């Protein structure tokens, strides 16, 4: 498992790597996680469905604030 913090999950190069990893693990379902800010306009269910189906990445959302002040308590 991999935990992504601070990555853009729309980066095409990262997507390429994740698809390759998923293809090489055909018999095992990858279980990766991404901690991502949600700013109130994010369709969390749509993002969750896309990341899970395409890459095996399960997003964990936290409230987006200036300076990402909500991130540290989540990580603790």
């Amino acid at each position: 498992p991999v935990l992504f913090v601070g990555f853009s999950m729309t980066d095409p190069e990262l997507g390429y790597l994740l698809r390759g990893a998923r293809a090489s693990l055909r018999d095992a379902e990858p279980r990766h996680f991404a901690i991502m800010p949600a700013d109130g306009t994010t369709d969390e269910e749509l993002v969750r469905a896309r990341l899970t189906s395409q890459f095996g990445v399960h997003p964990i959302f936290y409230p987006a604030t200036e300076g990402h002040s909500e991130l540290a308590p989540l990580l603790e």
Side-chain angles (χ1 to χ4, degrees), residues 27-76:
D27 297 332
E29 180 65 25
R31 190 132 170 103
H32 308 299
F33 301 90
I35 297 177
M36 306 175 71
D39 62 6
T41 63
T42 303
D43 185 340
E44 294 176 21
E45 290 307 312
L46 182 64
V47 171
R48 185 180 321 283
R50 183 180 69 82
L51 291 178
T52 303
S53 66
Q54 288 183 357
F55 307 122
V57 174
H58 302 273
I60 301 166
F61 293 101
Y62 67 94
T65 57
E66 188 168 332
H68 300 277
S69 61
E70 297 294 322
L71 182 56
L74 175 66
L75 293 172
E76 289 176 8

